[in-house]
Amino acid sequence: MDWMLKDLADGVPQTRHVVVLSADGLRMAQYGTDTDTADRLAAACAGLQSLAGAVATELPHGDGRMRLVVIEMSGGFFYLMAAGARAYLAVLADEGVDAGLMGARMRDLVARIGEHLSTGPRDDGQAP
């Protein structure tokens, strides 16, 4: 999966960090970042995807699932996209990133490898 994450980062200028994580906030893969940063991003994403899912339940015609969260911050953008059952793709990019290109490249990546990113529910702290 490393080369696919590298392809995303190299294909979208201004990409800083790419992390694949499970719904419970565990890092599954990373590119362009150190392990500690990737772990912190993955843990933060678990709370963010949960919050987005809770807000999504307020839409009467929706299915209650989070598909994409984009946060614009001073200095850059953060993207979190559902990437399979209980798996997510997170990207942190600098301020000059092309938001449309990033969204399209993330969707392409998820479509190509989405089933490989899925994680089963954990039971007693162990993956099935």
Side-chain angles (χ1 to χ4, degrees):
M1 186 180 325
D2 292 346
W3 70 270
M4 288 188 251
L5 300 181
K6 180 184 184 319
D7 186 49
L8 171 67
D10 290 348
V12 183
Q14 307 297 323
T15 300
R16 184 169 294 277
H17 306 295
V18 181
V19 179
V20 177
L21 61 130
S22 64
D24 53 0
L26 297 177
R27 173 186 42 85
M28 298 167 60
Q30 70 194 58
Y31 180 80
T33 188
D34 61 86
T35 302
D36 289 341
T37 300
D39 285 342
R40 283 193 307 274
L41 286 171
C45 289
L48 186 56
Q49 64 84 18
S50 178
L51 177 63
V55 171
T57 62
E58 299 303 320
L59 294 170
H61 302 292
D63 61 9
R65 292 185 295 171
M66 185 279 292
R67 292 186 197 157
L68 173 67
V69 172
V70 179
I71 300 174
E72 181 178 3
M73 303 162 285
S74 176
F77 292 86
F78 173 76
Y79 301 86
L80 179 63
M81 182 177 283
R86 300 184 46 78
Y88 297 88
L89 174 62
V91 176
L92 198 59
D94 290 333
E95 203 164 30
V97 72
D98 180 332
L101 179 60
M102 179 62 79
R105 287 313 248 342
M106 287 178 72
R107 277 190 291 280
D108 289 348
L109 178 59
V110 165
R112 286 189 348 218
I113 62 171
E115 69 253 12
H116 302 293
L117 296 179
S118 300
T119 62
R122 298 187 186 277
D123 185 27
D124 295 329
Q126 300 293 321

